[in-house]
Amino acid sequence: MYHNRPHVEDIRAMKKRGEKISMLFVTTPEEAAAAHAAGIHMLSIEGRFFDAEMREAAGDCFVQVGLPYGGWGRFEGRPIATAEDYLCAAFHYAGLGGDAYYCAASYDIQKVLCDNHLPVVGHIGLIPSYITWTGWRAVGKTADEAAALWRHTKKLEEIGVFAAELEVVPDRVAQYLTENSSLVMLGMGAGKYADAQYLFTEDVCGYGKNHKPRHGKMYRNFAPEFERLQQERIAAFREFKADVDQGGYPEAGHSVAIADSEYDAFLAKLGA
């Protein structure tokens, strides 16, 4: 177990000092371990990927665990929709070593989590779970929308949320929200003024299958190597199948032998 993990107060102190925070979305222990080795400050891990192995792999990284949301969200086999559902899920992930809990549900639900002293991360701007209301676009490009983002920010502060993902918001609006709010702003496509810069590992490493966002930046292109490995995997599987079809596998060395005397004794016991 790692003992140098930052707490919420440490992340808040980084904001106050104007230190930039690095943040990645990861889905595997290998990605989490690489982030820890690279000194990444914060990780975002969906609840469905978060377990003891992921916590160990994340090392000293501060881990935000994403709680399931709405109709698609399930926890322990059942839909998660009420404040009690969210509370049970959050305490479950807290027991596994989560440091904060992403929740894009209603203010009432977020407040229940905050009232139970759980560090909550909200969401401002382009919120995927609300996409039916906005479409996939920047949010806050008009004065009315920017003002609505400010009201949302103040409401999150009021109920006790400590941070928020700030996604695809115009840079000057993001700067205003960041500089005039106590929330730690985790910027994804929100310009250079957000407290944190947050990217998905699949974009950083070039193996994403989804839409490449404007704010994404590829630092390595793993896609050709992944494709090469997939072709090698297919070739190995074909060779295995051919071996089975032709009787080449298993060979003697792949089997367990029994002494003739023991086998004869076995048959005698059966009356064979």
Side-chain angles (χ1 to χ4, degrees), residues 199-200 203-206 213-220:
L199 288 177
F200 277 43
D203 294 326
V204 171
C205 293
R214 178 202 297 264
H215 56 267
K217 183 174 180 179
M218 184 171 66
Y219 291 83
R220 293 290 188 279

Side-chain angles (χ1 to χ4, degrees), residues 67 83 86-88 90 101 103 108-120:
L67 302 181
Y86 278 95
L87 198 58
C88 288
Y101 310 93
C103 181
D108 289 345
I109 288 175
Q110 289 173 308
K111 187 174 186 303
V112 167
L113 298 178
C114 293
D115 287 348
N116 279 271
H117 311 290
L118 291 163
V120 175

Side-chain angles (χ1 to χ4, degrees), residues 15 150 153-154 157 176-183 185:
K15 174 185 175 80
W150 174 241
T153 298
K154 298 308 290 181
E157 279 186 338
Y176 184 89
L177 299 181
T178 300
E179 293 179 353
N180 292 278
S181 169
S182 64
L183 297 182
M185 294 296 187

Side-chain angles (χ1 to χ4, degrees), residues 6 11 14 19-24 35-36 38-43 58 60-63 99 196:
I11 301 298
M14 291 182 73
E19 297 177 30
K20 289 303 178 184
I21 300 167
S22 54
M23 183 174 183
L24 288 172
H36 165 59
I40 299 297
H41 297 109
M42 295 180 66
L43 299 182
D60 289 332
C61 298
F62 182 99
V63 173
D99 297 303

Side-chain angles (χ1 to χ4, degrees), residues 20-177:
K20 289 303 178 184
I21 300 167
S22 54
M23 183 174 183
L24 288 172
F25 179 93
V26 302
T27 60
T28 68
E30 293 78 13
E31 291 175 351
H36 165 59
I40 299 297
H41 297 109
M42 295 180 66
L43 299 182
S44 177
I45 305 176
E46 287 185 13
R48 61 193 173 118
F49 300 125
F50 188 66
D51 56 18
E53 183 183 7
M54 282 289 273
R55 176 64 269 182
E56 181 67 18
D60 289 332
C61 298
F62 182 99
V63 173
Q64 163 192 303
V65 181
L67 302 181
Y69 179 76
W72 61 267
R74 303 184 73 82
F75 176 66
E76 295 187 339
R78 58 189 178 86
I80 178 169
T82 69
E84 184 175 354
D85 292 333
Y86 278 95
L87 198 58
C88 288
F91 278 122
H92 169 78
Y93 295 125
L96 292 173
D99 297 303
Y101 310 93
Y102 169 86
C103 181
S106 69
Y107 292 136
D108 289 345
I109 288 175
Q110 289 173 308
K111 187 174 186 303
V112 167
L113 298 178
C114 293
D115 287 348
N116 279 271
H117 311 290
L118 291 163
V120 175
V121 177
H123 205 142
I124 298 168
L126 176 62
I127 306 175
S129 50
Y130 300 171
I131 206 65
T132 191
W133 305 106
T134 61
W136 294 99
R137 64 171 178 82
V139 178
K141 293 178 69 174
T142 68
D144 285 345
E145 278 195 351
L149 295 182
W150 174 241
R151 291 192 295 272
H152 182 41
T153 298
K154 298 308 290 181
K155 184 64 176 180
L156 293 179
E157 279 186 338
E158 177 187 324
I159 64 179
V161 169
F162 104 91
E165 294 186 9
L166 187 61
E167 185 168 355
V168 196
V169 169
D171 56 355
R172 285 191 291 173
V173 175
Q175 181 180 12
Y176 184 89
L177 299 181

Side-chain angles (χ1 to χ4, degrees), residues 234-246 248-250:
I234 292 170
F237 289 176
R238 282 177 176 156
E239 291 174 20
F240 165 66
K241 180 180 184 297
D243 230 4
V244 171
D245 290 345
Q246 297 164 16
Y249 178 86

